[in-house]
């Protein structure tokens, strides 16, 4: 009924990854395809929870599933499984050996929650620190106050890397991540950071090698209006919305291949 709705082939890519109802509790009455469709509509359009179209389940029910899957890690597990499938379809190993790191500050609304002022970008809001592979697919994300420095955010992200990143050996970064962070990574991580710097002779906009990949990921995410600004109370919800936005991209890619 809406452009964001799942086609049959897209639903086939994700339906087996949806957790079954917990045994012993109240039987599940909602169709999970309708719940996922409602969440995709909300993520892409950026609408408020309370004005989800009536064709979808009640917003309270959709919100309950969103928060439940957020807290138990389901959104990340679905995302990581689909990423491995996309990489294998592209002829790559499911575990990447190289990636790129960057951050982006976005404004927040007046809802309560973590926020701060990014003096460099002159933005009051939150900062998303993301690590992507060479296909621009998301590997890890941490959302913090925009006041937190890029190196400090990178440390938080590196401490949360899971098994999908165990083969990482090189991460391309910009000049912001030089200094103490390079030494910290050498002591605590198996990979190394490789700064990609702009030449002093270059003027105007220049596409830098390797670093442009992560910028493409930000462009993909901001196609979902829910990511144009941060509307969430909890940073965990912001991270879950990023996983949902990238999951939508990968479902469309898998269904088309």
């Amino acid at each position: 009924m809406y452009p964001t709705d799942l086609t049959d082939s897209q639903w086939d890519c994700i339906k087996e990854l949806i957790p079954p109802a917990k045994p012993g509790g109240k039987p599940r009455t909602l169709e999970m395809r309708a719940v996922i469709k409602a969440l995709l509509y909300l993520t892409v359009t950026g609408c408020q929870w309370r004005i989800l179209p009536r064709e979808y389940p009640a917003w309270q029910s959709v919100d309950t599933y969103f928060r439940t899957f957020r807290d138990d890690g389901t959104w990340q597990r679905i995302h990581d499984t689909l990423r491995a499938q996309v990489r294998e379809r592209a002829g790559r190993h499911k575990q990447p050996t190289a990636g790129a790191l960057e951050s982006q500050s976005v404004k927040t609304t007046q809802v309560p929650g973590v926020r701060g002022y990014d003096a460099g970008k002159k933005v009051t809001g939150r900062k998303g620190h993301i690590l992507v592979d060479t296909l621009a697919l998301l590997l890890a994300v941490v959302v913090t106050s925009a006041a937190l420095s890029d190196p400090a955010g990178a440390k938080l992200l590196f401490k949360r890397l899971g098994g999908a990143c165990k083969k990482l050996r090189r991460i391309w970064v910009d000049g912001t991540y030089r200094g103490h962070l390079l030494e910290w990574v050498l002591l605590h991580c198996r990979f190394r950071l490789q700064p990609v710097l702009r030449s002093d002779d270059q003027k105007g906009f220049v596409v830098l090698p390797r670093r442009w990949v992560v910028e493409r990921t930000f462009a993909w995410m901001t196609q979902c209006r829910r990511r144009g600004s941060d509307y969430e109370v909890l940073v965990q919800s912001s991270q879950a919305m990023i996983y949902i936005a990238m999951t939508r991209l990968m479902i469309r890619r898998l269904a088309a291949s």
Side-chain angles (χ1 to χ4, degrees), residues 12-233:
D12 289 340
C13 296
I14 193 176
K15 64 181 181 181
E16 299 300 329
L17 304 177
I18 305 297
K22 295 182 179 179
K26 183 179 179 180
R28 179 179 289 173
T29 57
L30 286 181
E31 182 187 4
M32 291 308 299
R33 181 172 180 174
V35 174
I36 300 299
K37 285 162 57 176
L39 283 168
L40 292 178
Y41 180 92
L42 183 134
T43 303
V44 174
T45 64
C47 75
Q48 296 175 340
W49 284 98
R50 288 169 174 78
I51 59 175
L52 275 174
R54 294 182 179 180
E55 292 82 3
Y56 296 131
W59 73 266
Q60 297 94 331
S61 300
V62 178
D63 179 52
T64 297
Y65 276 107
F66 169 75
R67 289 185 286 106
T68 300
F69 288 176
R70 175 200 67 195
D71 295 339
D72 64 13
T74 295
W75 296 125
Q76 183 176 354
R77 286 194 294 271
I78 292 175
H79 169 274
D80 291 351
T81 301
L82 294 175
R83 185 192 62 235
Q85 295 176 11
V86 172
R87 287 185 57 83
E88 289 175 345
R89 293 271 183 100
R92 307 293 184 90
H93 192 278
K94 65 180 181 179
Q95 296 174 342
T97 58
L101 174 69
E102 187 57 281
S103 68
Q104 182 187 55
S105 296
V106 298
K107 294 181 180 179
T108 51
T109 59
Q110 296 305 311
V111 297
V114 175
R115 63 164 56 87
Y117 181 69
D118 183 344
K121 300 296 178 60
K122 296 180 173 57
V123 170
T124 299
R126 291 175 182 163
K127 184 180 291 187
H129 310 263
I130 68 170
L131 174 66
V132 303
D133 63 10
T134 54
L135 298 179
L137 301 177
L138 185 69
L139 296 176
V141 57
V142 171
V143 176
T144 67
S145 163
L148 190 71
S149 68
D150 288 352
K155 287 184 181 181
L156 289 177
L157 186 144
F158 292 154
K159 291 177 180 179
R160 300 183 186 181
L161 293 182
C165 299
K166 64 182 180 181
K167 291 184 177 294
L168 274 178
R169 293 298 179 265
R170 179 181 301 178
I171 296 177
W172 290 285
V173 296
D174 63 23
T176 309
Y177 297 93
R178 292 179 295 175
H180 173 71
L181 180 64
L182 295 178
E183 301 175 0
W184 185 89
V185 169
L186 288 175
L187 291 174
H188 298 89
C189 305
R190 296 182 178 180
F191 51 79
R192 65 185 182 93
L193 301 185
Q194 181 173 332
V196 180
L197 305 178
R198 175 187 175 124
S199 172
D200 295 335
D201 299 330
Q202 294 174 331
K203 296 182 179 180
F205 174 77
V206 178
V207 177
L208 296 177
R210 303 299 182 180
R211 271 177 51 189
W212 68 270
V213 176
V214 68
E215 300 297 343
R216 183 170 63 176
T217 309
F218 282 126
W220 287 343
M221 291 193 302
T222 52
Q223 290 178 1
C224 296
R225 292 190 175 184
R226 195 80 183 184
R227 295 308 311 151
S229 295
D230 199 321
Y231 301 95
E232 316 305 329
V233 175

